[in-house]
Amino acid sequence: MPEENQQNKTDVIVVGAGPAGVSAAVTVARGGKKVVLVERGNFAGSKNMYGGVIYSHAAAEIFSNYKEASIERFVSNHSYVLLSETDSTTISYKSPSHNENAFVITRANWDRWCVEQAVKEGVYYAPNTLVRELIIKDGKVIGIRTDIEEYYADIVIIADGVNSLLARQIGLRKDLRPKDVFLGVKEVIKLSPEVIEQRFGLGNGGGCAMELVGGPLKNLFAMGIIYTNKDSVAVGLGVALEDLKNRKIKPYELLEAMKKHSFVADIIEGGELAEYSAHLIPEGGYNRLPQLYTDGAIVCGDAAMLVNNVHFEGTNFAMISGKFAGETALEAFEKSDFTKNQLCLYRKKLENSFILKDLRTYKDVVKTITNRANSIGYYTQKVNEFFEIFTTADGIEKKGKFKKFAKHFFMKRSLAELFKDGFAGIKVMFDILK
Ligand SMILES: Cc1cc2nc3c(=O)[nH]c(=O)nc-3n(C[C@H](O)[C@H](O)[C@H](O)COP(=O)(O)OP(=O)(O)OC[C@H]3O[C@@H](n4cnc5c(N)ncnc54)[C@H](O)[C@@H]3O)c2cc1C
């Protein structure tokens, strides 16, 4: 049975210096408690990758001076691109009042900057420290074990990301199955700022976030992403791991196919590959929430599978759940109660916030989309065929073309399939609005 060494004892230990962990740690420090933030990487962000967008509301809630970080570009244009085999149709949203909703920044810069701020506010930061396991005494989490030593705390906040060996060790989460996660793959391609601004139609250092469906991703539960940095473009995709496994598709081949599509090829033409990375993304979802706390421990961020994949929101869920975990720890100190009876407050905070409200809203949506994923490519193809007719002036009368289009629309897909797709669309709307 482990004996607590008082020299190695602090109030709170946070494992993982990603967006969830740093937010938890700085919240605890602001409340006047001693907190150690443990990170396995040699600097925060060194082990982390993502698409590229941080949401300003969450950044500002944790660090009001977030604009001092090395932001690449604020997202001024948001585009959705429907791909067919060769063509593309783009829907773009732009508004002067929307300019500061989100920004693109590299994780190496963002995570490191956040940790620097947290250290200034009293967080003790321990990089290069891999937590091997949690220390348990009488069924309660009382500390962490690293390769070198044991450290003790009244509360351990688990923010070790999607794989979360620690949440699994204490039975809060089950082992990951392919259907629980998406695989994200991404390349960073160097281009000059002038070329980026010209190709994306950006002015004044603005940025673009794009989501792509269909084309090479057709029939898969998958979405492409393109984000603009200052002098590079991130091109990637997220795809259900189960789809990759069942259909024996290699993720980098899918990304290559996406890069060869004329829409993407034109954007990255002449660019130089700077970086390739891959990472799992929790599929998330209200129905898959793990147990979020136990005696002496709270789980947040990806470790708790808190992601809204429909909107590509993960970092804001991580930061705000980390903040709630920190607040819950502070309240536990006020009551001197570190049992789950007290730590259940964490779940209530999540329930009362956009985090579990949004996950509940989308709780059946992901399943409906997954079941009809093989229809997405059909409709993106048809949208492009429609716009081809609509925009072509070739001396041939339009009515005949529209009749042919309508006939093909119904002939190429059985009435039963069309009905199921329509029903799925209505169900998605109903599920969101109910
Ligand atoms: C391809 C891709 C694109 C994405 N795009 C976006 C996007 O554009 N916007 C968005 O909001 N979200 C996006 N996400 C999701 C987002 O990246 C995550 O939701 C977010 O990073 C979760 O933060 P976290 O702190 O919970 O976990 P992480 O960021 O994974 O941090 C966990 C930290 O714990 C450390 N760690 C792990 N195990 C240990 C251990 N045993 N001991 C010590 N340290 C440990 C790791 O090194 C890491 O620093 C994307 C994800 C992927 C994969």
Side-chain angles (χ1 to χ4, degrees):
M1 193 64 72
E3 282 308 318
E4 289 179 40
N5 169 351
Q6 286 307 311
Q7 278 187 338
N8 278 0
K9 168 104 193 323
T10 187
D11 295 329
V12 178
I13 292 172
V14 180
V15 184
V22 77
S23 305
V26 79
T27 304
V28 172
R30 285 172 186 161
K33 289 289 162 193
K34 283 184 285 171
V35 53
V36 177
L37 176 62
V38 184
E39 166 58 42
R40 66 181 170 172
N42 59 358
F43 66 89
S46 63
K47 301 266 180 199
N48 302 337
M49 75 80 91
Y50 79 143
V53 170
I54 300 277
Y55 299 94
S56 307
H57 78 95
E61 204 166 320
I62 310 299
F63 298 109
S64 54
N65 59 338
Y66 75 93
K67 287 185 191 167
E68 291 168 17
S70 301
I71 289 172
E72 297 280 332
R73 290 171 188 270
F74 275 93
V75 178
S76 52
N77 298 25
H78 213 122
S79 301
Y80 292 89
V81 188
L82 311 177
L83 301 176
S84 72
E85 290 299 326
T86 50
D87 305 351
S88 58
T89 304
T90 305
I91 301 166
S92 264
Y93 173 72
K94 186 176 172 175
S95 159
S97 64
H98 197 255
N99 274 357
E100 297 203 349
N101 175 64
F103 55 90
V104 181
I105 186 167
T106 67
R107 285 296 296 275
N109 282 337
W110 177 246
D111 291 12
R112 193 159 33 184
W113 182 85
C114 289
V115 167
E116 281 164 16
Q117 306 309 302
V119 167
K120 282 186 206 159
E121 297 198 50
V123 170
Y124 182 86
Y125 176 54
N128 288 312
T129 309
L130 175 73
V131 177
R132 290 280 176 204
E133 60 179 5
L134 297 167
I135 305 170
I136 319 285
K137 187 177 178 185
D138 301 331
K140 177 184 177 305
V141 176
I142 58 161
I144 56 166
R145 185 169 290 121
T146 71
D147 285 332
I148 303 164
E149 230 165 335
E150 293 176 349
Y151 298 92
Y152 297 91
D154 294 304
I155 296 185
V156 176
I157 296 178
I158 301 170
D160 56 347
V162 58
N163 281 316
S164 193
L165 297 177
L166 302 181
R168 287 197 259 160
Q169 181 209 333
I170 53 172
L172 294 183
R173 254 181 55 181
K174 299 201 176 86
D175 285 347
L176 281 180
R177 300 162 303 170
K179 67 170 159 195
D180 296 329
V181 281
F182 279 61
L183 180 67
V185 289
K186 185 182 96 167
E187 284 186 6
V188 175
I189 294 165
K190 283 263 174 204
L191 285 167
S192 73
E194 297 74 34
V195 167
I196 292 173
E197 280 154 26
Q198 179 246 321
R199 288 185 187 170
F200 286 85
L202 302 169
N204 293 331
C208 184
M210 271 183 186
E211 267 107 54
L212 303 90
V213 287
L217 309 179
K218 69 175 183 203
N219 305 337
L220 295 166
F221 190 19
M223 196 187 264
I225 48 163
I226 299 182
Y227 296 135
T228 53
N229 294 318
K230 261 188 204 125
D231 59 1
S232 63
V233 171
V235 180
L237 56 91
V239 53
L241 195 58
E242 188 153 53
D243 273 0
L244 289 180
K245 185 179 141 240
N246 290 346
R247 301 195 202 173
K248 301 193 176 17
I249 301 170
K250 297 189 175 68
Y252 53 87
E253 286 175 1
L254 207 53
L255 184 56
E256 274 311 306
M258 203 178 92
K259 280 167 54 195
K260 285 198 179 111
H261 189 285
S262 62
F263 178 84
V264 183
D266 285 351
I267 283 179
I268 58 175
E269 197 201 330
E272 200 181 301
L273 177 66
E275 207 179 295
Y276 177 87
S277 52
H279 202 280
L280 292 177
I281 316 168
E283 193 193 288
Y286 197 80
N287 299 329
R288 304 244 173 105
L289 275 183
Q291 178 64 34
L292 296 164
Y293 54 89
T294 185
D295 291 332
I298 305 172
V299 197
C300 54
D302 275 13
M305 309 292 271
L306 296 172
V307 168
N308 183 342
N309 261 322
V310 178
H311 293 270
F312 260 80
E313 291 180 28
T315 52
N316 53 342
F317 278 49
M319 283 187 260
I320 303 303
S321 65
K323 180 184 166 214
F324 290 156
E327 288 172 357
T328 306
L330 292 173
E331 285 162 49
F333 276 98
E334 270 171 32
K335 303 263 165 57
S336 297
D337 180 358
F338 309 109
T339 66
K340 50 187 165 201
N341 296 337
Q342 175 65 30
L343 301 187
C344 66
L345 258 185
Y346 173 59
R347 167 104 195 188
K348 290 196 186 118
K349 285 174 187 283
L350 290 171
E351 292 277 4
N352 290 334
S353 75
F354 70 95
I355 296 183
L356 290 194
K357 284 184 182 162
D358 279 354
L359 289 189
R360 199 182 298 114
T361 298
Y362 285 99
K363 103 176 143 58
D364 298 317
V365 169
V366 170
K367 195 168 156 218
T368 308
I369 299 175
T370 311
N371 290 341
R372 301 307 302 160
N374 63 2
S375 306
I376 296 170
Y378 180 73
Y379 293 105
T380 56
Q381 177 75 30
K382 289 294 161 201
V383 168
N384 281 289
E385 282 175 18
F386 174 81
F387 278 106
E388 187 191 1
I389 298 171
F390 205 81
T391 56
T392 303
D394 55 3
I396 302 171
E397 59 114 6
K398 301 274 191 290
K399 192 172 177 176
K401 290 186 189 177
F402 283 128
K403 273 188 169 171
K404 199 168 155 198
F405 172 80
K407 194 170 147 201
H408 277 177
F409 188 90
F410 291 108
M411 271 175 51
K412 288 270 163 72
R413 200 153 177 83
S414 73
L415 267 181
E417 288 299 306
L418 287 171
F419 177 76
K420 281 184 198 163
D421 294 337
F423 181 74
I426 293 167
K427 184 170 179 330
V428 165
M429 272 192 285
F430 180 76
D431 285 339
I432 290 174
L433 297 175
K434 76 182 172 202

